[in-house]
Amino acid sequence: MNESTPLSFATLTPDCVLDALESVGLYSDGRLLALNSYENRVYQIGIEDGPPLVAKFYRPARWSDAAILEEHAFVAKLVEREIPVVPAMTLANGKTLHEFSGFRFAVFARHGGRAPELDDPATLEWLGRFIGRIHGVGAVQAFEHRPALNITTFGEEPRDYLLANNFIPPDLLDAYRSVIAQALDGVRRCFDRAGDVNILRLHGDCHCGNVLWTDAGPHFVDFDDSRMGPAIQDLWMLLSGERRDMVRQLSDLLAGYEDFADFDPRELHLIEALRTLRLIHYAAWLARRWDDPAFPVAFPWFNTQRYWQDRILELREQVALMDEAPLWTN
């Protein structure tokens, strides 16, 4: 993380955005559209002499420059292998990461598309093939500057932040402490059952919103959460519905995945554990960003009494699910 005092996105005005683009030789025709992003600020920008581009302004102090460049390099390697991803553009200054008025940003080609049809077996198999190819590249070397997805980073640290900063209502504090302790114990048991699984570079946030589909197939966007972790992390978020539905979906994904990468079935023990960690991490992510004015507007239900009651019930359900047999495929 950067050591300097972080800037506020409140100072990232439209003029600042356009001036930043001009600083790297891109001149806007004045069209500026804010896209749906909360962690960073992302804009579609009309360009005078070409198609619109997308500019991502990184949340100050979240990642170091080295961590951002490591993500860019990983995606560039995927492009070299003809995997359909959207890399940061190398501009006239020979760089993919730029700075203007204290804000770091990158520019991307604009790619359209729709959400994939996850109830279609052929679509799932197609996605599985490309995720397998991504993991084939991801396994070649490790990230040095980006954190891993594990019990500490996605479970214990978020828990500690929520408790230390008094987000849990006093009358729910004992219940929350109890259930999150049970949940993290359940996560540890799942990891123990899985054993020593391989850790590799992942997309990290591979839900259907980060896969754009066209008639030519998928392309994967937003590697901002890319990190080290088990392969199943990039597969389980594409599963939904009842258990029998998820078994079928996972079978379809793996039918494509295993064309390009080996899958260790022990990782099936981690699906509900990773889901539990994501739930804990997400609550702390909202809490850490609560001083950003965009968050109370976008998430008005956060930090209410009902919100924390629901989180307690949710974690209790996960405790039970983690003790069930894992999904198994034929």
Side-chain angles (χ1 to χ4, degrees), residues 73-101:
F74 178 38
V75 177
K77 282 293 183 184
L78 299 177
V79 173
E80 288 179 9
R81 302 292 181 89
E82 298 183 340
I83 297 171
V85 295
V86 181
M89 296 172 60
T90 300
L91 299 178
N93 57 10
K95 300 178 181 179
T96 58
L97 181 63
H98 319 282
E99 187 273 334
F100 184 82
S101 292

Side-chain angles (χ1 to χ4, degrees), residues 232-240 253 271 274-275 278:
I232 193 66
Q233 170 64 19
D234 279 349
L235 297 169
W236 76 262
M237 276 189 283
L238 298 173
L239 310 178
S240 62
L253 281 168
I271 291 177
L274 291 168
R275 193 190 312 275
R278 184 174 176 84

Side-chain angles (χ1 to χ4, degrees), residues 146-157:
R146 301 180 76 83
L149 193 169
N150 55 39
I151 298 170
T152 299
T153 58
F154 265 55
E156 295 168 348
E157 290 176 359

